[in-house]
Amino acid sequence: MSELKGQIERITYTNDETGYTIAKVKVQGHPEPVTVVGNLIAPNPGEIISMQGEWTSHPKYGKQFKISHYESTVPATVYGIQKYLGSGLIKGIGPVMAKRIVQRFGKETLEVIEKRIQRLEEVEGIGEKRIDIIRRAWDEQREIREVMIFLQAHGVSPGFAAKIFKQYGNRAVSVVKQNPFRLASDIFGIGFLTADRISEKLGIARDAEIRVQAGILYVLHQLTEDGHVFYPYEPLIEKCREVLCVDRDVVAKAVHAISLEKKIILEDLNDDPDNLKANNKAVYLSGLHVSETGIAVRLKALLQAPKSIRPIDSHKAVEWVQGRLSIILAAKQVEAVRCAAENKIMVITGGPGTGKTTIVQAVLKIFSKMGTRIMLAAPTGRAARKMSEATGHEARTIHRLLEFSMQKGGFQRNDEHPLECDLLVVDEASMIDTLLMHHLLKAIPPGATFILVGDANQLPSVGPGNVLGDIIASGVAPSVELQEIFRQAEESLIIVNAHKINRGLLPFFRPTDQSLDDFYFIEQEDPDEVLKIIVDLAKDRIPRRFELDPVEDIQVITPMHKGSVGAANLNQELQKALNPGEEGVTRGNRTFRLQDKVMQIKNDYDKEVFNGDIGRITRLDMENQEMLISFDGRQIPYDYSDLDELVLAYAISVHKSQGSEYPAVIIPLLTQHYLLLQRNLIYTAVTRGRRLVVVVGTRKALGIGIRNVKPQERYTRLKQRLLSSRQ
């Protein structure tokens, strides 16, 4: 073992989740900064660290000092103090302000901040407000270090330690000791597995009730991420037993205990009294059970309530609207318009180019003439904007329509304070999951007409359930499926091929010539070559030939998150190509730079930014540890501690692309994706492109996906509930 002492010059890389750091350290007697590697707690330039470890040689980067143990102290030199304060450690002090403070107080700077902070008023640009910010940040930094030392000793990374401290403050250590599994439910990004590692270090037994109950809830939450609303009892017990490594009886006992606390609901699935099966139960998280049963009850009530819109002659209405819009509706479109005029609830479904928008325009024209109070909504901001542009009526996201408020706690529109409308039209209805549909139905007044518009052949919602598919399959409300492609749409290979894919046919590719087309296939089976082609397409070929912006107009959509052409790696390579540079903020293995394209990955009701929203970074403020991101023109501030809510968005998953359209999309399709290749996934990806679709991969992978019509099964009982609600 060797010993080394020096001052951190710069942080080359740090992973918030593991604490693994690569840093350059200025060591006396060494002419060049020494490269050190190892796990460090929230390292900052300017810190003095005393290290124990060994010298190693990296084949690419040369001589390095590998740390096994270290101690940190604040810097003693004026230069070190300036570097320390200017590193972004303390909110309110950036590099410029750090220089001014150190010029004024020299070696006494840290003692002044610690004991006589009011003296900072002697520095130009620092007033009472900034002193207060610096005081709070300095105190928090001192306390967070103490918490971090405890947490890291119990297997928690520095990044998560900061979030734990932010959540619980000085109570952090006692909360973790008492019940580490609280972390999994209270803190975004910390799952059961992380909490379980901490519990093991704290000596909590593997079969402890607190651990097994938390594990069951974890498994159920994981299953909802696969789209399940419930899970069958016996398969659930088996999954929990595997994850927790405990006996079946221990899991069964814990399931019973949390069902008594109403955290989960057990529902008997035995319909035949003469053929009862043991443990034939559905296991629901209680919120999902409330939502699924609530959807069925509220749809039935909505269907049975008298209509607030006066009756009209639907034949005359169709004739009138055709004259006003100067169009002749096709037979199915006429059926849909008449159906909307005559029914309380209906579904309009169909692929691109089949005239869904024309029907909505006709319906809105008819009901507007009658003085009807109309509201339009869609699940995402992009889908709502598209709906507004197409209809000329204001459309809002469902969350905004229902007036979500963090301060007041939840959706403000509900059965006690319903929406003020007689007609509600919701687009992109395939994206609405079980929880959101329940909240939406709670807010629809009993007399209102409710029209769902969507494409039932797309992927189901990211969240649990298959709401649109179940409503159509149940037949409780009339649905009209549009299949005819209209003449102007037939000119688009994107639309023609989307419908071919939907019918189980391989898409058509015209021979490549000098004329521009809107659908291309590039054959390549080597994943590394596919990656190179995608980067070249996004950076040079498509922008040059189609005059499109490589960041704003081009979206890479991939079936996978992992692998060389998964979203994570594609984002790193596309960032290098489209937005290179060294300046940025690193969180885990992600670096965010000015002008990067980023995506929100959790609903943040406070910011009114939701899962799947895409924006651009417009400002990095190292001094205040804040980032500004433009989402559709709205400048939203992000504290650096919130950055795990963001990922780069040069490449996104097919699921995340739902409800959005892009001028151009690039889709990698390889046989390595075979577990995910299915017809509705390929169909959804292709229909995201407005002007251009480029598929890069193999015909074999394309064929596998198009032939696979068996989507991953989702456990939901909405269809059965709707059918029984009719009887």
Side-chain angles (χ1 to χ4, degrees):
M1 295 287 284
S2 302
E3 292 190 2
L4 211 60
K5 184 175 182 179
Q7 184 172 53
I8 299 177
E9 275 284 298
R10 74 172 187 273
I11 308 298
T12 306
Y13 170 83
T14 186
N15 186 321
D16 273 359
E17 295 175 16
T18 63
Y20 180 77
T21 301
I22 303 170
K24 295 288 186 181
V25 177
K26 196 173 182 180
V27 178
Q28 199 168 3
H30 290 258
E32 294 294 324
V34 172
T35 300
V36 304
V37 298
N39 289 352
L40 303 179
I41 300 175
N44 282 287
E47 272 183 75
I48 305 292
I49 52 175
S50 300
M51 303 163 280
Q52 291 178 328
E54 59 181 351
W55 290 98
T56 60
S57 183
H58 189 280
K60 186 174 179 182
Y61 300 110
K63 197 175 181 184
Q64 298 179 338
F65 189 77
K66 190 175 180 182
I67 302 169
S68 58
H69 177 74
Y70 81 101
E71 287 181 2
S72 168
T73 58
V74 293
T77 67
V78 169
Y79 170 78
I81 292 167
Q82 182 180 320
K83 201 163 184 66
Y84 182 63
L85 286 180
S87 67
L89 172 78
I90 306 298
K91 188 177 280 195
I93 303 178
V96 174
M97 193 57 70
K99 187 175 181 181
R100 284 189 205 160
I101 293 170
V102 171
Q103 280 175 342
R104 177 70 187 85
F105 300 113
K107 287 186 178 182
E108 294 179 16
T109 297
L110 299 182
E111 190 181 341
V112 166
I113 295 173
E114 179 72 42
K115 296 177 180 174
R116 300 188 298 280
I117 197 166
Q118 213 58 40
R119 285 195 64 194
L120 290 181
E121 283 185 334
E122 298 170 23
V123 178
E124 183 193 346
I126 296 184
E128 195 62 47
K129 189 176 177 183
R130 191 179 286 246
I131 286 174
D132 190 47
I133 292 169
I134 294 169
R135 179 190 288 112
R136 279 187 278 118
W138 182 262
D139 290 345
E140 186 175 288
Q141 191 65 28
R142 185 176 56 240
E143 290 164 354
I144 203 170
R145 286 254 164 169
E146 293 165 9
V147 171
M148 278 180 164
I149 289 165
F150 167 81
L151 292 172
Q152 187 151 13
H154 291 86
V156 182
S157 68
F160 284 148
K163 297 195 81 168
I164 292 167
F165 182 82
K166 189 177 176 182
Q167 176 77 19
Y168 305 119
N170 292 329
R171 298 185 302 116
V173 173
S174 63
V175 167
V176 173
K177 281 181 177 176
Q178 189 177 357
N179 181 4
F181 297 103
R182 270 188 66 181
L183 302 177
S185 56
D186 290 353
I187 298 171
F188 177 72
I190 296 185
F192 171 81
L193 299 180
T194 302
D196 200 30
R197 283 199 299 273
I198 299 167
S199 80
E200 189 178 4
K201 294 258 179 135
L202 288 168
I204 293 173
R206 187 174 279 181
D207 60 355
E209 198 173 84
I210 190 175
R211 176 179 182 266
V212 179
Q213 290 183 8
I216 292 163
L217 295 174
Y218 159 73
V219 170
L220 278 169
H221 278 291
Q222 289 294 105
L223 291 166
T224 67
E225 291 185 12
D226 292 334
H228 301 298
V229 181
F230 74 88
Y231 211 69
Y233 181 88
E234 285 297 347
L236 175 68
I237 296 286
E238 186 56 29
K239 274 186 181 288
C240 293
R241 195 188 62 73
E242 287 173 12
V243 168
L244 298 167
C245 301
V246 294
D247 293 340
R248 184 192 183 285
D249 291 348
V250 174
V251 177
K253 184 182 173 187
V255 165
H256 178 67
I258 55 177
S259 72
L260 293 176
E261 294 175 25
K262 300 298 182 188
K263 290 179 181 175
I264 61 173
I265 303 295
L266 302 180
E267 189 171 89
D268 198 342
L269 297 179
N270 283 314
D271 297 323
D272 183 357
D274 298 324
N275 186 24
L276 298 179
K277 298 175 190 169
N279 291 325
N280 188 24
K281 301 185 188 84
V283 186
Y284 286 83
L285 289 166
S286 57
L288 283 172
H289 188 265
V290 167
S291 294
E292 190 178 82
T293 53
I295 290 171
V297 169
R298 291 177 187 282
L299 275 175
K300 178 184 176 184
L302 195 58
L303 281 162
Q304 292 179 344
K307 204 172 184 181
S308 61
I309 304 169
R310 63 179 172 82
I312 58 169
D313 185 325
S314 61
H315 287 284
K316 287 183 180 176
V318 168
E319 284 178 24
W320 176 83
V321 83
Q322 287 184 130
R324 292 306 296 259
L325 295 175
S326 303
I327 57 171
I328 297 173
L329 296 170
K332 275 285 182 185
Q333 290 180 311
V334 169
E335 182 189 336
V337 174
R338 289 191 59 202
C339 190
E342 294 168 0
N343 291 278
K344 282 291 299 297
I345 302 175
M346 77 159 298
V347 178
I348 302 167
T349 180
T354 57
K356 295 193 298 292
T357 302
T358 303
I359 293 169
V360 172
Q361 288 170 333
V363 168
L364 295 180
K365 197 82 174 169
I366 291 167
F367 284 111
S368 295
K369 175 72 174 171
M370 297 167 65
T372 305
R373 297 174 302 168
I374 296 169
M375 285 185 171
L376 308 184
T380 67
R382 284 176 181 248
R385 271 197 316 283
K386 184 180 154 197
M387 199 181 189
S388 295
E389 290 162 7
T391 63
H393 287 253
E394 183 198 6
R396 285 176 277 178
T397 64
I398 295 172
H399 286 93
R400 287 212 177 97
L401 184 82
L402 300 181
E403 298 173 18
F404 189 92
S405 168
M406 280 291 283
Q407 291 75 25
K408 295 176 183 175
F411 293 108
Q412 299 309 293
R413 292 289 180 173
N414 49 40
D415 42 4
E416 293 177 6
H417 186 212
L419 297 166
E420 291 156 13
C421 68
D422 303 305
L423 171 67
L424 175 62
V425 183
V426 178
D427 200 6
E428 296 289 356
S430 64
M431 295 180 66
I432 305 175
D433 65 23
T434 301
L435 292 162
L436 189 56
M437 181 60 85
H438 180 232
H439 284 294
L440 181 61
L441 285 167
K442 279 172 74 174
I444 299 175
T449 295
F450 183 34
I451 299 175
L452 289 160
V453 183
D455 188 344
N457 293 309
Q458 284 188 27
L459 288 169
S461 57
V462 176
N466 184 20
V467 177
L468 182 66
D470 285 346
I471 290 172
I472 293 169
S474 73
V476 292
S479 64
V480 177
E481 184 180 3
L482 307 169
Q483 294 179 323
E484 180 186 347
I485 308 175
F486 289 95
R487 191 177 299 119
Q488 65 271 27
E490 284 180 342
E491 296 170 10
S492 165
L493 263 190
I494 296 173
I495 290 174
V496 169
N497 281 335
H499 286 270
K500 285 173 80 75
I501 289 165
N502 200 31
R503 294 198 305 271
L505 303 172
L506 282 169
F508 170 71
F509 308 107
R510 292 193 186 103
T512 304
D513 54 25
Q514 294 306 305
S515 62
L516 292 181
D517 219 328
D518 67 353
F519 200 109
Y520 294 89
F521 180 80
I522 300 174
E523 182 95 32
Q524 178 56 250
E525 63 179 344
D526 182 334
D528 292 332
E529 287 303 312
V530 170
L531 178 62
K532 286 180 189 172
I533 290 167
I534 289 172
V535 172
D536 185 40
L537 285 166
K539 186 182 178 186
D540 295 316
R541 287 165 65 180
I542 292 175
R544 190 173 63 247
R545 289 200 72 190
F546 292 86
E547 297 181 352
L548 294 173
D549 183 277
V551 178
E552 287 293 323
D553 298 333
I554 300 169
Q555 186 61 60
V556 179
I557 300 176
T558 176
M560 294 187 77
H561 288 285
K562 295 178 181 175
S564 55
V565 288
N569 191 55
L570 276 165
N571 270 316
Q572 288 192 348
E573 295 303 315
L574 288 163
Q575 184 192 44
K576 281 183 207 169
L578 302 177
N579 194 25
E582 291 190 8
E583 287 288 313
V585 182
T586 299
R587 280 295 174 272
N589 56 0
R590 306 189 297 274
T591 297
F592 298 106
R593 300 188 185 119
L594 199 62
Q595 292 304 317
D596 264 338
K597 184 177 181 179
V598 292
M599 181 170 65
Q600 176 80 9
I601 56 169
K602 69 167 280 205
N603 288 338
D604 191 322
Y605 298 104
D606 231 0
K607 295 186 179 84
E608 287 195 12
V609 182
F610 302 104
N611 191 350
D613 285 355
I614 290 177
R616 294 284 292 274
I617 297 173
T618 56
R619 195 175 80 184
L620 291 175
D621 185 342
M622 297 296 285
E623 187 168 299
N624 293 303
Q625 294 178 37
E626 193 175 80
M627 179 187 286
L628 272 188
I629 302 176
S630 175
F631 289 97
D632 302 321
R634 293 167 59 234
Q635 298 290 329
I636 309 294
Y638 277 73
D639 192 272
Y640 283 4
S641 63
D642 295 331
L643 296 188
D644 57 352
E645 295 181 9
L646 296 170
V647 293
L648 293 171
Y650 299 100
I652 61 176
S653 69
V654 181
H655 258 119
K656 294 287 189 189
S657 74
Q658 281 182 269
S660 298
E661 276 190 347
Y662 311 93
V665 299
I666 306 169
I667 308 163
L669 281 181
L670 294 168
T671 49
Q672 66 176 219
H673 300 148
Y674 77 95
L675 286 172
L676 294 163
L677 291 179
Q678 53 196 56
R679 187 183 296 174
N680 59 358
L681 179 136
I682 296 172
Y683 173 79
T684 301
V686 165
T687 52
R688 299 309 91 204
R690 195 162 60 241
R691 286 177 53 190
L692 176 68
V693 172
V694 184
V695 179
V696 186
T698 66
R699 291 176 190 270
K700 183 179 179 184
L702 193 56
I704 289 170
I706 291 170
R707 285 192 299 273
N708 181 12
V709 290
K710 191 184 176 196
Q712 292 165 330
E713 184 185 6
R714 291 185 167 203
Y715 286 110
T716 157
R717 283 180 55 76
L718 180 58
K719 177 186 167 185
Q720 290 89 328
R721 292 185 197 284
L722 289 170
L723 285 168
S724 65
S725 73
R726 282 199 299 174
Q727 293 163 4

Short mmCIF file of all heavy atoms in Angstrom, two decimals, residues 384-402:
data_model
loop_
_atom_site.label_atom_id
_atom_site.label_comp_id
_atom_site.label_asym_id
_atom_site.label_seq_id
_atom_site.Cartn_x
_atom_site.Cartn_y
_atom_site.Cartn_z
N ALA A 384 -51.76 17.40 -27.80
CA ALA A 384 -52.74 18.47 -27.60
C ALA A 384 -52.53 19.61 -28.60
O ALA A 384 -53.48 20.14 -29.17
CB ALA A 384 -52.66 18.99 -26.16
N ARG A 385 -51.25 19.97 -28.83
CA ARG A 385 -50.96 21.03 -29.80
C ARG A 385 -51.39 20.63 -31.21
O ARG A 385 -51.97 21.43 -31.94
CB ARG A 385 -49.46 21.34 -29.81
CG ARG A 385 -49.06 22.39 -28.83
CD ARG A 385 -47.68 22.95 -29.15
NE ARG A 385 -46.73 21.93 -29.49
CZ ARG A 385 -46.13 21.13 -28.61
NH1 ARG A 385 -46.44 21.23 -27.33
NH2 ARG A 385 -45.26 20.24 -28.98
N LYS A 386 -51.11 19.38 -31.56
CA LYS A 386 -51.50 18.88 -32.88
C LYS A 386 -53.02 18.93 -33.04
O LYS A 386 -53.54 19.31 -34.09
CB LYS A 386 -50.99 17.43 -33.01
CG LYS A 386 -51.24 16.80 -34.37
CD LYS A 386 -50.68 15.38 -34.36
CE LYS A 386 -51.41 14.51 -35.34
NZ LYS A 386 -51.20 13.08 -35.12
N MET A 387 -53.74 18.58 -31.99
CA MET A 387 -55.21 18.61 -32.01
C MET A 387 -55.72 20.05 -32.18
O MET A 387 -56.66 20.30 -32.95
CB MET A 387 -55.73 18.00 -30.71
CG MET A 387 -57.17 17.55 -30.75
SD MET A 387 -57.68 16.86 -29.16
CE MET A 387 -59.28 16.19 -29.61
N SER A 388 -55.10 20.99 -31.48
CA SER A 388 -55.48 22.41 -31.60
C SER A 388 -55.28 22.90 -33.02
O SER A 388 -56.14 23.58 -33.59
CB SER A 388 -54.66 23.28 -30.65
OG SER A 388 -54.93 22.98 -29.32
N GLU A 389 -54.10 22.58 -33.60
CA GLU A 389 -53.79 23.03 -34.96
C GLU A 389 -54.76 22.45 -35.98
O GLU A 389 -55.17 23.12 -36.92
CB GLU A 389 -52.35 22.63 -35.32
CG GLU A 389 -51.29 23.42 -34.55
CD GLU A 389 -49.92 22.75 -34.57
OE1 GLU A 389 -49.76 21.73 -35.29
OE2 GLU A 389 -49.01 23.23 -33.86
N ALA A 390 -55.15 21.18 -35.76
CA ALA A 390 -56.03 20.51 -36.73
C ALA A 390 -57.48 20.99 -36.66
O ALA A 390 -58.19 20.99 -37.66
CB ALA A 390 -55.98 19.00 -36.52
N THR A 391 -57.93 21.38 -35.47
CA THR A 391 -59.35 21.69 -35.28
C THR A 391 -59.66 23.18 -35.13
O THR A 391 -60.80 23.60 -35.33
CB THR A 391 -59.90 20.99 -34.02
OG1 THR A 391 -59.20 21.49 -32.87
CG2 THR A 391 -59.71 19.48 -34.12
N GLY A 392 -58.64 23.98 -34.76
CA GLY A 392 -58.90 25.39 -34.50
C GLY A 392 -59.52 25.64 -33.13
O GLY A 392 -59.83 26.77 -32.78
N HIS A 393 -59.70 24.58 -32.34
CA HIS A 393 -60.22 24.70 -30.97
C HIS A 393 -59.07 24.48 -29.98
O HIS A 393 -58.17 23.69 -30.25
CB HIS A 393 -61.30 23.65 -30.69
CG HIS A 393 -62.60 23.92 -31.39
ND1 HIS A 393 -63.73 24.36 -30.73
CD2 HIS A 393 -62.95 23.80 -32.69
CE1 HIS A 393 -64.71 24.50 -31.60
NE2 HIS A 393 -64.27 24.16 -32.79
N GLU A 394 -59.13 25.12 -28.83
CA GLU A 394 -58.10 24.91 -27.82
C GLU A 394 -58.16 23.46 -27.31
O GLU A 394 -59.24 22.94 -27.02
CB GLU A 394 -58.31 25.85 -26.63
CG GLU A 394 -57.22 25.71 -25.57
CD GLU A 394 -57.60 26.28 -24.21
OE1 GLU A 394 -58.76 26.70 -24.03
OE2 GLU A 394 -56.73 26.26 -23.32
N ALA A 395 -57.00 22.82 -27.26
CA ALA A 395 -56.91 21.47 -26.67
C ALA A 395 -55.85 21.52 -25.58
O ALA A 395 -54.83 22.19 -25.72
CB ALA A 395 -56.53 20.44 -27.72
N ARG A 396 -56.10 20.83 -24.48
CA ARG A 396 -55.17 20.82 -23.35
C ARG A 396 -54.74 19.40 -23.04
O ARG A 396 -55.41 18.44 -23.43
CB ARG A 396 -55.83 21.42 -22.11
CG ARG A 396 -55.95 22.93 -22.16
CD ARG A 396 -56.70 23.47 -20.96
NE ARG A 396 -58.15 23.40 -21.15
CZ ARG A 396 -59.03 23.76 -20.24
NH1 ARG A 396 -58.63 24.20 -19.06
NH2 ARG A 396 -60.31 23.68 -20.48
N THR A 397 -53.63 19.27 -22.32
CA THR A 397 -53.28 17.94 -21.82
C THR A 397 -54.34 17.54 -20.78
O THR A 397 -54.97 18.41 -20.16
CB THR A 397 -51.90 17.92 -21.15
OG1 THR A 397 -51.94 18.75 -20.00
CG2 THR A 397 -50.80 18.38 -22.09
N ILE A 398 -54.49 16.25 -20.57
CA ILE A 398 -55.48 15.78 -19.59
C ILE A 398 -55.14 16.31 -18.19
O ILE A 398 -56.02 16.71 -17.43
CB ILE A 398 -55.58 14.24 -19.61
CG1 ILE A 398 -56.13 13.78 -20.98
CG2 ILE A 398 -56.48 13.73 -18.49
CD1 ILE A 398 -56.10 12.28 -21.19
N HIS A 399 -53.83 16.34 -17.87
CA HIS A 399 -53.42 16.85 -16.55
C HIS A 399 -53.82 18.31 -16.37
O HIS A 399 -54.28 18.70 -15.30
CB HIS A 399 -51.91 16.68 -16.37
CG HIS A 399 -51.49 15.28 -16.12
ND1 HIS A 399 -51.10 14.44 -17.14
CD2 HIS A 399 -51.43 14.54 -14.98
CE1 HIS A 399 -50.81 13.25 -16.63
NE2 HIS A 399 -50.99 13.29 -15.33
N ARG A 400 -53.65 19.12 -17.42
CA ARG A 400 -54.04 20.53 -17.30
C ARG A 400 -55.55 20.67 -17.29
O ARG A 400 -56.09 21.51 -16.57
CB ARG A 400 -53.44 21.33 -18.46
CG ARG A 400 -51.95 21.54 -18.31
CD ARG A 400 -51.46 22.86 -18.90
NE ARG A 400 -50.03 22.98 -18.64
CZ ARG A 400 -49.10 22.66 -19.52
NH1 ARG A 400 -49.45 22.19 -20.70
NH2 ARG A 400 -47.83 22.80 -19.23
N LEU A 401 -56.23 19.85 -18.08
CA LEU A 401 -57.69 19.88 -18.11
C LEU A 401 -58.25 19.60 -16.72
O LEU A 401 -59.20 20.25 -16.27
CB LEU A 401 -58.21 18.83 -19.10
CG LEU A 401 -59.72 18.77 -19.33
CD1 LEU A 401 -60.14 19.84 -20.34
CD2 LEU A 401 -60.14 17.39 -19.83
N LEU A 402 -57.63 18.64 -16.03
CA LEU A 402 -58.11 18.25 -14.70
C LEU A 402 -57.51 19.11 -13.59
O LEU A 402 -57.77 18.87 -12.41
CB LEU A 402 -57.80 16.77 -14.44
CG LEU A 402 -58.43 15.77 -15.41
CD1 LEU A 402 -58.07 14.34 -15.03
CD2 LEU A 402 -59.94 15.93 -15.47
#
